Amino acid sequence: MARDAATTRARILEAATTEFAARGIAGARVDRIADLAGCNKALLYTYFGNKEQLFDAVFAGLVRRLVVDNPIDAEHLDEYAGRLLDYNAAHPEIVRLALWDRLERDGAGMRSAELLATDAAKAAAIAEAQSRGVVSTRFSPETAMGLITVISSMLPFVQPADGARLRAAVTTAVDRLLR
Amino acid sequence: MARDAATTRARILEAATTEFAARGIAGARVDRIADLAGCNKALLYTYFGNKEQLFDAVFAGLVRRLVVDNPIDAEHLDEYAGRLLDYNAAHPEIVRLALWDRLERDGAGMRSAELLATDAAKAAAIAEAQSRGVVSTRFSPETAMGLITVISSMLPFVQPADGARLRAAVTTAVDRLLR
DNA sequence: TCTCCTTCTAACTGGTTAGTTACAAATCTC
DNA sequence: GAGATTTGTAACTAACCAGTTAGAAGGAGA
């Protein structure tokens, strides 16, 4: 076994992502994560503290990547929503983890100063686009963001297996709502 | 103690609703449900079989009430969405239970023949309204239902504490999308 | 090669949990 | 009011599970 702390940490995070996405915090089993990561259970505790802190690490990492990989484009919110949809299709764990976080911890993982700041920045970008007349003022910037989130992230969740038609529906909906 | 099977069953269902809505299936504790219902744990098993079947009973009952209490009005889908929003605000357990069901059981509770039939009936009502020109044909009936669901049930979930402004946003959004 | 430090493991622990059982008490029937 | 049935309980059990511990194995520097 490659004795390398960084690699082992990464393997644990990957295994934990799978397990937490599938079963949530209460349903996840520490032994299952260790088995999947191919390492001893005790390492989870030396590297991450405990089960919930491991969830924190997993979730914070994925959310950070989601935010970095999907910068907002307030001029073309429909395409932004389409890209979010594609991203969620390619990384189905993220939406599931976010839902577990809301349900099991009242959204504790979404309240980091960092994430609140990027949320505020997105709202500001929309507000600015509204002031220039590029985006409709029908909705507040915050509500507009909420609508985009809900349509791009939750619609495939309540309507599974819709495929290519779904993407058209998402961009059409966002265009219709916010232009 | 009032020795009455029907009443006891009802108390168990009520307690289980609270516990399952708060913690999900994996997180729920059978002892906690029994305590809250003020009865012996063994009664849950004599009346409902096991923990998961108890969840089934809780969820099926609430979904049935939701469907009965909120008939679709394809002529005024914006108001229909507004009513769903109000209903969810008054009964916050339902959305949570539906999410637990999706996450923990891949939506098994939403696949009853009864519920599939009412879903089909709703889609048919929308299709009929579309053919009369009352509802836009921008989206398929199924996608239209999905959009209504997501906006009336999930928007308050991702945007907590918005209040009266939220209702206006929901009706405006549905009107804009489907009229 | 000796020593120190990091990485890793097997085995254990104490508390928890879903589900069961054997039995008691209330209610119903006749 | 006797006997059968329904409704309820206390105590138990076997499995499970998060977290710990004591110490082994590997590597780096001298």
Side-chain angles (χ1 to χ4, degrees):
Chain A
M1 194 60 71
R3 247 169 191 263
D4 174 14
T7 304
T8 304
R9 264 186 71 105
R11 275 211 319 276
I12 293 172
L13 278 176
E14 197 191 326
T17 301
T18 302
E19 176 73 1
F20 282 130
R23 319 224 188 200
I25 302 174
R29 293 294 166 250
V30 170
D31 294 85
R32 216 148 39 199
I33 295 172
D35 282 358
L36 190 57
C39 73
N40 193 275
K41 183 172 41 156
L43 289 183
L44 313 204
Y45 293 93
T46 65
Y47 289 142
F48 296 99
N50 61 28
K51 195 187 183 184
E52 183 155 5
Q53 288 172 275
L54 176 55
F55 181 90
D56 269 331
V58 165
F59 190 54
L62 287 189
V63 166
R64 189 163 303 133
R65 267 180 36 194
L66 171 77
V67 168
V68 169
D69 292 350
N70 295 280
I72 190 167
D73 176 3
E75 307 250 339
H76 308 97
L77 289 175
D78 54 343
E79 269 310 311
Y80 173 59
R83 263 180 280 122
L84 282 177
L85 179 81
D86 297 339
Y87 195 86
N88 288 328
H91 307 279
E93 327 84 40
I94 299 181
V95 171
R96 292 182 62 90
L97 287 168
L99 286 172
W100 290 118
D101 179 64
R102 273 246 186 265
L103 287 171
E104 297 194 281
R105 311 196 305 161
D106 199 26
M110 309 283 292
R111 284 198 287 271
S112 70
E114 182 188 355
L115 192 53
L116 291 178
T118 70
D119 279 358
K122 284 178 188 168
I126 293 181
E128 192 264 352
Q130 285 177 323
S131 74
R132 283 188 294 128
V134 182
V135 169
S136 155
T137 55
R138 225 168 353 244
F139 303 103
S140 72
E142 291 77 16
T143 301
M145 266 312 301
L147 285 166
I148 292 172
T149 300
V150 131
I151 290 173
S152 62
S153 305
M154 296 304 306
L155 188 60
F157 203 75
V158 306
Q159 292 230 315
D162 209 310
R165 177 200 225 170
L166 184 65
R167 197 180 199 280
V170 166
T171 55
T172 306
V174 171
D175 181 72
R176 182 86 189 139
L177 287 172
L178 298 178
R179 209 175 49 142
Chain B
M1 193 61 72
R3 243 167 193 268
D4 174 16
T7 305
T8 305
R9 263 187 71 105
R11 276 211 318 277
I12 292 173
L13 278 176
E14 196 190 327
T17 301
T18 302
E19 177 72 2
F20 282 129
R23 318 222 189 202
I25 301 174
R29 293 295 165 248
V30 170
D31 294 86
R32 214 146 43 197
I33 295 172
D35 282 358
L36 190 58
C39 74
N40 192 277
K41 181 173 42 158
L43 289 183
L44 313 204
Y45 293 92
T46 65
Y47 288 142
F48 296 98
N50 61 28
K51 195 188 185 184
E52 183 155 6
Q53 288 173 274
L54 177 54
F55 181 89
D56 268 330
V58 164
F59 189 54
L62 287 189
V63 167
R64 189 164 301 132
R65 269 180 38 196
L66 170 77
V67 168
V68 170
D69 291 351
N70 295 281
I72 191 168
D73 177 2
E75 307 250 339
H76 308 96
L77 289 174
D78 56 340
E79 269 310 312
Y80 172 59
R83 263 179 281 120
L84 282 177
L85 178 81
D86 298 340
Y87 194 86
N88 287 329
H91 307 281
E93 328 83 39
I94 299 181
V95 172
R96 292 183 60 90
L97 288 168
L99 286 172
W100 291 119
D101 179 63
R102 273 243 186 266
L103 287 171
E104 298 194 280
R105 311 196 306 160
D106 198 26
M110 309 284 292
R111 285 198 287 270
S112 70
E114 182 188 357
L115 192 51
L116 291 177
T118 70
D119 279 357
K122 284 178 186 168
I126 292 180
E128 193 263 352
Q130 285 177 323
S131 74
R132 284 188 294 127
V134 183
V135 168
S136 156
T137 55
R138 226 173 344 249
F139 303 103
S140 72
E142 292 77 16
T143 301
M145 267 311 301
L147 285 165
I148 292 172
T149 301
V150 130
I151 289 172
S152 63
S153 305
M154 295 305 308
L155 189 60
F157 203 75
V158 305
Q159 292 229 316
D162 208 310
R165 176 203 228 169
L166 183 64
R167 199 181 197 281
V170 166
T171 55
T172 305
V174 171
D175 182 72
R176 182 87 188 139
L177 288 172
L178 298 177
R179 208 174 49 140

